[in-house]
C-alpha cells in the first residue's frame, strides 16, 4: 500500500503521483495514477506554454464584457467571447482543419492578448494541448541573440520549436520593424504551420488585409487568411480599467 504524505494535496499518495494497491485475496499489486500527478503534468504544460504571468489565471468565462464603455464595444466583446468559447468547445474540429483565430483592433489594450491567453489556458487544461505563447518581437530578439552567441538556444532550434508546436499563439504580429529577414522569418513559420495543418492564434493591431502594407511580398497575408478566422475586438482600451480595479482591491487592504 502507498504511504500518505503531505506532499500530495489530495492525501492519496506519497507525493510521487502513484498509488499502489494490494489485493489481499490474490496478493497481487497494481498501480493507479493519483490526481496530483495529473496536476503536476498540467502545471508543466502551462509553464512550457510561456504564457505571461499576468494572464496565467485568465479564463474565457471571466472575460468581462461590461468593462467596455460603449454599446458597440460590449457587442464586439460579447461576440469575441462567444467565438473563443466555441473555439475551445470545438477544438478537435478546429485542430483537424488547422484553423486558428486572428484577434485584431487598432486600439492597444483592447483585450486581444487576454482573450487569446484565456483560450490557450483552456486548451491546455481541457485537452492537454501543447501550447506555446510568443510575442513576435521577443522571438525576433531571441533569434538575434542566438546569432551573436548570447542566446540559450540556437536559431534553428528556436524556429523549429515554434514551427511544430501543436498550438502557437503569436502576440502583436505586425508591430515589429519589418525587414526582408523579418518577413522571411514570419513567412517560414506560417508556411510550415499551414502545410502541417497546425493551429495558430494571432493578435494584431492590423486587419488581415492591412498585413500587405507591412509585409509587402504578400505571402504573409495569404497564409494568415487561410489559417485563421478574423475576430474584430472592441476599439477601446480596458487595460487601464483593469489596473484601476486591481488598485481599488489593494487599497482596501492597505487602508483598512
Amino acid at each position: 500500500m502507498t504511504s500518505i504524505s503531505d506532499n500530495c494535496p489530495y492525501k492519496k499518495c506519497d507525493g510521487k503521483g502513484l498509488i499502489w494497491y494490494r489485493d489481499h485475496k490474490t496478493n497481487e499489486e497494481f498501480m493507479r495514477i493519483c490526481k496530483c500527478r495529473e496536476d503536476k503534468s498540467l502545471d508543466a504544460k502551462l509553464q512550457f506554454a510561456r504564457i505571461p504571468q499576468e494572464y496565467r489565471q485568465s479564463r474565457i468565462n471571466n472575460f468581462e464584457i461590461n468593462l467596455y464603455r460603449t454599446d458597440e464595444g460590449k457587442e464586439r466583446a460579447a461576440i469575441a467571447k462567444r467565438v473563443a468559447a466555441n473555439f475551445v468547445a470545438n477544438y478537435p474540429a478546429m485542430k483537424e482543419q488547422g484553423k486558428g483565430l486572428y484577434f485584431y483592433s487598432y486600439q492597444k489594450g483592447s483585450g486581444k492578448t487576454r482573450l487569446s491567453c484565456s483560450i490557450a489556458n483552456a486548451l491546455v487544461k481541457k485537452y492537454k494541448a501543447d501550447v506555446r505563447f510568443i510575442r513576435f518581437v521577443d522571438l525576433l530578439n531571441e533569434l538575434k541573440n542566438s546569432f551573436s552567441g548570447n542566446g540559450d538556444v540556437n536559431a534553428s532550434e528556436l524556429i523549429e520549436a515554434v514551427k511544430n508546436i501543436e498550438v502557437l499563439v503569436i502576440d502583436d504580429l505586425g508591430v515589429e520593424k519589418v525587414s526582408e529577414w523579418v518577413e522571411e522569418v514570419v513567412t517560414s513559420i506560417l508556411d510550415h504551420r499551414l502545410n502541417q495543418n497546425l493551429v495558430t492564434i494571432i493578435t494584431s493591431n492590423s486587419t488581415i488585409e492591412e498585413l500587405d502594407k507591412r509585409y509587402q511580398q504578400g505571402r504573409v497575408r495569404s497564409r494568415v487568411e487561410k489559417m485563421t478566422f478574423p475576430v474584430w475586438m472592441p476599439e477601446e482600451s480596458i487595460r487601464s480599467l483593469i489596473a484601476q480595479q486591481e488598485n481599488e482591491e489593494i487599497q482596501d487592504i492597505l487602508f483598512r
Side-chain angles (χ1 to χ4, degrees):
M1 294 289 288
T2 303
S3 59
I4 305 302
S5 166
D6 289 338
N7 292 327
C8 174
Y10 303 101
K11 301 293 189 294
K12 296 288 186 181
C13 74
D14 59 3
K16 295 180 180 178
L18 299 175
I19 305 174
W20 290 92
Y21 293 90
R22 175 177 293 164
D23 188 319
H24 294 292
K25 293 182 179 179
T26 64
N27 212 33
E28 290 182 324
E29 292 186 351
F30 58 96
M31 178 193 74
R32 289 179 183 168
I33 303 296
C34 181
K35 192 175 185 304
C36 74
R37 186 166 186 151
E38 295 177 5
D39 290 350
K40 289 175 183 176
S41 175
L42 188 61
D43 288 342
K45 281 184 175 290
L46 287 169
Q47 288 290 335
F48 174 80
R50 298 175 68 178
I51 294 168
Q53 189 64 41
E54 179 183 0
Y55 303 115
R56 291 275 174 91
Q57 302 304 318
S58 293
R59 303 289 181 268
I60 295 171
N61 61 5
N62 63 23
F63 185 77
E64 296 186 46
I65 294 169
N66 289 327
L67 283 176
Y68 298 91
R69 291 190 175 97
T70 67
D71 291 340
E72 183 179 19
K74 288 181 172 66
E75 183 179 353
R76 282 189 199 162
I79 291 171
K81 184 175 183 177
R82 185 163 72 247
V83 168
N86 286 335
F87 182 87
V88 171
N90 295 281
Y91 174 65
M94 298 297 102
K95 181 180 179 181
E96 185 176 347
Q97 295 182 42
K99 280 287 186 181
L101 297 170
Y102 184 88
F103 292 104
Y104 69 96
S105 69
Y106 298 115
Q107 177 65 56
K108 296 178 181 178
S110 64
K112 300 183 289 289
T113 302
R114 183 173 296 274
L115 196 52
S116 65
C117 287
S118 297
I119 293 172
N121 287 329
L123 294 179
V124 172
K125 292 189 174 183
K126 185 170 183 177
Y127 299 101
K128 309 285 192 297
D130 289 323
V131 176
R132 177 60 63 93
F133 174 97
I134 59 165
R135 284 196 170 97
F136 196 65
V137 172
D138 292 343
L139 173 66
L140 295 175
N141 288 334
E142 286 188 54
L143 287 172
K144 290 173 184 176
N145 286 335
S146 71
F147 296 148
S148 62
N150 296 324
D152 295 329
V153 295
N154 64 47
S156 60
E157 290 174 337
L158 195 55
I159 290 292
E160 287 304 309
V162 297
K163 275 184 175 181
N164 293 300
I165 194 72
E166 180 182 343
V167 179
L168 178 65
V169 180
I170 303 177
D171 192 43
D172 277 345
L173 181 68
V175 301
E176 73 285 351
K177 184 177 180 181
V178 177
S179 63
E180 186 176 337
W181 172 74
V182 168
E183 187 161 356
E184 189 58 41
V185 170
V186 181
T187 304
S188 172
I189 293 170
L190 295 180
D191 194 52
H192 179 86
R193 296 187 64 79
L194 176 62
N195 291 333
Q196 296 300 314
N197 225 36
L198 296 170
V199 172
T200 308
I201 298 171
I202 299 171
T203 76
S204 179
N205 294 337
S206 305
T207 66
I208 293 178
E209 292 74 22
E210 289 169 340
L211 290 175
D212 276 346
K213 297 177 183 177
R214 302 285 299 162
Y215 309 102
Q216 296 183 5
Q217 294 181 28
R219 294 182 294 167
V220 172
R221 172 193 168 178
S222 62
R223 283 155 179 78
V224 171
E225 212 163 30
K226 178 72 169 64
M227 57 202 297
T228 64
F229 180 85
V231 182
W232 191 5
M233 294 292 289
E235 296 296 344
E236 296 181 43
S237 176
I238 59 170
R239 186 177 294 152
S240 58
L241 291 174
I242 293 173
Q244 184 178 343
Q245 281 186 342
E246 291 171 349
N247 285 340
E248 287 174 356
E249 292 173 2
I250 293 173
Q251 179 177 292
D252 291 340
I253 297 172
L254 297 178
F255 294 98
R256 281 177 180 170

